[in-house]
Amino acid sequence: MTVADISRPGEAAPGKAEALERLLAAARERHAEFAGQTHVSADVIELMKQAGVYRAMVARRFGGDEMHPSDFLRLIETISEADGSTGWVASFGFSAVYLSSLPLPTLEKMYANGPDVVFAGGIFPPQSAVPVEGGVEVSGRWSWGSGCRGADVIGVGIKVEGGGPTGGLPLIAVMPASSIEIVDNWNVTGMQGTGSHDMVVDKVVVPQEWTFIRGGASSLDTPLYRYPSMPLAAQMLAVVGLGVARASLDCLITLAGGRTSITGAPTLADRAYVQTDIAKAEAALRSARAFFYETTDAAFAQLEAGAEELDLTTRSLLRLASTNAAHVAADVAGTVHRLSGTTGIGADHPIARYLRDAMVVPQHAFLADGTWQNAGKIILGLEAAPGFP
């Protein structure tokens, strides 16, 4: 995919396009650096800002682009082709949709200095927060804080003693990143550069107006902010897998013409099983991607036509398309690794890295095996588990 493929005609500013090219080049060249230090470097986060990643989903009233979801997803897919960890961190630019559940005066304060605000967060398990004068006092430790090293503001999951109902959805307290202690403990086999460390908060008082229900009603009323945030969150992670799988398959296609065996066997490209399995992988990846974007475009078209919210079936299809994309992407990366033979087993070879990264995506709770069952229940007219879709 090229930079020109990401946005609709006339929407990409020249400065952003140039910044995106620099971002993609850095992601391709420095993935080992990110993995070694377990986070994307600060200058690359700055490139993301220049490329419009963090203003993309911010409302126009705050200086953002309020981008069509499919356009932002394609942007993340493209970054993920260059490097999975960089794409994963960039995907949290969608958090502006989450954050739109904050009161309008709070949003005005958040974006007072511009829309390029970097958000990260950790939600589970929600920690107890105590009502005090001026808000709630928050303490606790949260895991999975992807991108926290480069964040401006951080949100953590809380449960307030004597607090009101949240409809079963988590309550988030938002605070400056300087209020957080980051515990460097991200030690994983894939997505090594996402910096998904633990975060510790000690008696930080968060004003009530800086808390919101994740997945709750938005304070804004345009189509983007009526798009359901939970399915959107799953889509943002799944599309990283699509980008990584594309890079993996392209790598094998390039390799196959010159890959020979010390035993004298034909090149990979001349082997019948390779020809067959590459064709199947290409078809599977393109099919999953088509389903993914088809459901996104259809859902957003409903909102642009004036729908107040998406119906249960449409929301479920968004989740189903995301789960399918994540699992197909992992399968494609596995096929590529198998077909590459001994070449792909080298720890530093791109094919090995693509496999490790792609396998992480369907491990996420939003995309795990249980989501298949919940989508199937809705297709059959049954009641799914709470929180789905």
Side-chain angles (χ1 to χ4, degrees), residues 242 245 281 284-286 288-289 323-333 372:
L242 290 177
L285 185 60
R286 287 178 179 269
R289 187 175 184 272
T323 297
N324 183 63
H327 286 258
V328 168
D331 289 345
V332 167
W372 292 111

Side-chain angles (χ1 to χ4, degrees), residues 86-307:
T86 306
W88 189 274
V89 172
S91 76
F92 291 95
F94 96 95
S95 297
V97 176
Y98 272 161
L99 293 168
S100 73
S101 294
L102 287 166
L104 274 175
T106 303
L107 292 172
E108 289 167 354
K109 291 177 182 177
M110 176 175 291
Y111 299 119
N113 295 320
D116 300 304
V117 175
V118 183
F119 176 83
I123 299 171
F124 298 106
Q127 304 290 319
S128 295
V130 182
V132 296
E133 185 176 354
V136 291
E137 184 181 87
V138 178
S139 295
R141 180 168 177 154
W142 294 261
S143 298
W144 314 107
S146 299
C148 59
R149 281 267 173 225
D152 301 313
V153 292
I154 286 178
V156 294
I158 61 172
K159 48 186 178 182
V160 180
E161 299 175 10
T166 64
L169 299 171
L171 186 65
I172 309 297
V174 179
M175 62 195 76
S178 58
S179 301
I180 305 283
E181 175 192 354
I182 297 172
V183 180
D184 287 302
N185 62 349
W186 189 237
N187 183 22
V188 290
T189 57
M191 296 292 179
Q192 295 171 315
T194 63
S196 306
H197 303 293
D198 280 9
M199 303 174 297
V200 176
V201 178
D202 184 25
K203 296 182 178 179
V204 173
V205 176
V206 178
Q208 190 69 40
E209 63 270 22
W210 283 87
T211 67
F212 70 97
I213 297 173
R214 191 193 70 163
S218 174
S219 297
L220 306 172
D221 188 26
T222 59
L224 178 59
Y225 304 103
R226 295 197 299 273
Y227 198 98
S229 59
M230 299 304 292
L232 184 60
Q235 289 180 284
M236 290 298 161
L237 302 179
V239 82
V240 175
L242 290 177
V244 171
R246 180 73 266 165
S248 178
L249 195 52
D250 287 347
C251 183
L252 180 63
I253 292 168
T254 300
L255 172 72
R259 171 69 166 82
T260 58
S261 171
I262 59 174
T263 65
T267 65
L268 284 178
D270 290 323
R271 301 178 196 180
Y273 72 90
V274 174
Q275 296 163 0
T276 299
D277 286 357
I278 277 186
K280 290 179 179 179
E282 186 73 45
L285 185 60
R286 287 178 179 269
S287 298
R289 187 175 184 272
F291 177 31
F292 183 83
Y293 284 109
E294 173 192 298
T295 55
T296 305
D297 289 341
F300 198 65
Q302 289 183 33
L303 299 172
E304 289 183 308

